[in-house]
Amino acid sequence: MTSSPTGEVRSVPSDSRLPDWRPINPALYPAAVSAAKGGAEFFQFASGSVWVVSAVSSFRELRVSGNVSLGTAVAITQSELLTNCHVVKGHPIITIKKGQVIRQVRVQAGDERTDRCILSTKGRYLTPVAGMRRFKDLKVGEEVYTIGSPGGFERTLGYGIISGLRTVEGQHLVQTTAQMSSGSSGGGLFDKSGNLIGITTFILRDSQGLNFAIAVEDFFR
C-alpha cells in the first residue's frame, strides 16, 4: 500500500496470484467432541468460530461497500481460518468481522484448483472450533448444521442432513441438504455435536438441495 499526497491510504494493485499451498500442520487437528446438542445449544457452542469475510481492492471500496466480495471463514486455530479461494482471490485487502470486531487478515496459503484458502491473523485472538471429524467417519443421513454469512447476514444457521459423500479427483466433498446461498462460501458445516466437518463451497445451479462442502481434513494435506 502507498500514501497519496492527501494522506489517503491506497492499495497497490494485486497480481491476483495466491501464495503456494501449505496445509495446516496435521498435529493441530483436534479430536472430535461427542456430546450431541440441540439447535440453540449447538449455535451457542459453535458460532463463535465463524466470521464474516469482506475482500476488496482498496480501503475506499470497503468504506463505500463497492465491489466487495463477501463470504465466511471458520477459525481452526487462534490465528488461522479456513475459507474458499474464490472469496478472496484478487483482493489485497481482506477483513473478518464478528459483531463490532473487525480485523484485517492475509491469505497464508491457497489452492485455487480445489478452492482451499487459509487466512491468518497477526495476533492469537480467534476462538477455534472445539473439534473436527474425518471424512471416512461421516455417514449419509447424519444431521448437520451450516453457519455462514449469506448476503452478509452474520452467523446465519441452516439445518439438513448429509445427502452424499463424494471423492472427485482426490478431493473429499460432503453433499448436504443444509441451506447455502451467496455469502455462505467459506462457512462451516458441522455435525450436531459441534464438530467441524467441512467448509461450505458451492451449489449446483438448477438443482434442488445439491450443496457441497470441502471436507475439513483436506485443509490438512
Side-chain angles (χ1 to χ4, degrees), residues 24 28 74-81 108 118-120 126:
I24 301 290
L28 299 177
V74 183
I76 47 88
T77 72
Q78 290 183 311
S79 61
E80 295 168 308
L81 309 97
Q108 175 176 301
I118 301 168
L119 307 179
S120 64
L126 303 175

Side-chain angles (χ1 to χ4, degrees), residues 106-123:
R106 68 178 182 88
V107 180
Q108 175 176 301
D111 181 10
E112 187 176 4
R113 183 185 68 82
T114 58
D115 211 12
R116 295 173 295 167
C117 266
I118 301 168
L119 307 179
S120 64
T121 66
K122 286 186 177 180

